Amino acid sequence: MDAPLNDKKIAFLATDGVEQIELTRPWKDLQGAGATLHLISLEQGEIKAFHHLDKAHNFPVDKVVSEVNANDYDALVLPGGVANPDTLRQNGDAVSFVKHFFNSNKPVAAICHAPWLLVEAGVIKGRTLTSFPSLKTDIQNAGGKWVDEEVCYHDGLITSRTPQDLDAFCARIIEVLSQI
């Protein structure tokens, strides 16, 4: 099996309330493509994932966001869920970590409610992206152009709407990362 991402190191930024499938599916696909992955969160230990509003599994945290350097990663994946990005956008270290990827022109992939963190980081002005539909106004108010598409790629930013879009989302992440 060809592993096009053998030399890539990818950060997943998430905390309690992450939508489990939006964490595990990209993780599985990127790991299968050969990438090295780290789950980064606000604290050591584990994060609690959810299936919509129902508690799901716990996942071990590899590194704490206040102790990592975005320069050590080739890309960033931001899974959704409602509580996950809402909590992350209130943490200065998480917001700075996201900003660094954009300032360094490194790919960022965000699905569902994860673009809330992008709004907080002030990085979507002039960009076209998609998200869970309820974020449309937030994105527009932050200067972004919201589109209702399965997957959207614009200037290093890969976005999708919901878990139903994971096939296209994961494929686009791998495609983009294999070209850098």
Side-chain angles (χ1 to χ4, degrees):
M1 178 178 173
D2 186 27
L5 304 183
N6 276 342
D7 61 339
K8 302 295 187 248
K9 190 172 174 186
I10 301 167
F12 277 68
L13 179 61
T15 193
D16 292 331
V18 66
E19 184 67 33
Q20 182 162 310
I21 193 68
E22 294 173 4
L23 171 66
T24 59
R25 173 63 192 284
W27 188 282
K28 176 182 168 258
D29 287 10
L30 289 167
Q31 194 171 52
T36 299
L37 311 174
H38 289 154
L39 179 56
I40 299 168
S41 193
L42 303 178
E43 299 175 359
Q44 279 293 349
E46 295 182 327
I47 61 171
K48 170 64 84 178
F50 281 72
H51 291 297
H52 303 291
L53 299 176
D54 298 324
K55 288 183 179 178
H57 296 95
N58 290 344
F59 294 90
V61 171
D62 296 308
K63 298 183 182 279
V64 176
V65 71
S66 62
E67 300 171 354
V68 295
N69 187 331
N71 289 328
D72 294 335
Y73 296 94
D74 297 297
L76 174 63
V77 176
L78 301 170
V82 177
N84 171 52
D86 192 48
T87 300
L88 290 172
R89 70 184 176 161
Q90 297 175 63
N91 180 282
D93 291 323
V95 172
S96 293
F97 190 66
V98 170
K99 282 183 185 180
H100 187 87
F101 281 88
F102 283 89
N103 291 340
S104 301
N105 295 313
K106 294 182 179 183
V108 174
I111 188 168
C112 199
H113 287 79
W116 263 342
L117 187 52
L118 305 178
V119 168
E120 189 66 32
V123 296
I124 61 171
K125 186 175 185 176
R127 292 181 189 270
T128 301
L129 64 154
T130 194
S131 68
F132 193 78
S134 66
L135 276 66
K136 176 181 178 179
T137 300
D138 295 331
I139 289 168
Q140 290 172 333
N141 287 342
K145 178 183 177 192
W146 188 86
V147 294
D148 185 12
E149 297 175 3
E150 181 179 52
V151 66
C152 179
Y153 177 70
H154 183 245
D155 196 23
L157 177 60
I158 305 155
T159 53
S160 281
R161 303 169 297 194
T162 69
Q164 289 74 28
D165 299 330
L166 280 166
D167 288 342
F169 182 65
C170 294
R172 184 60 62 94
I173 295 170
I174 291 170
E175 176 189 338
V176 169
L177 293 180
S178 67
Q179 296 173 4
I180 62 167

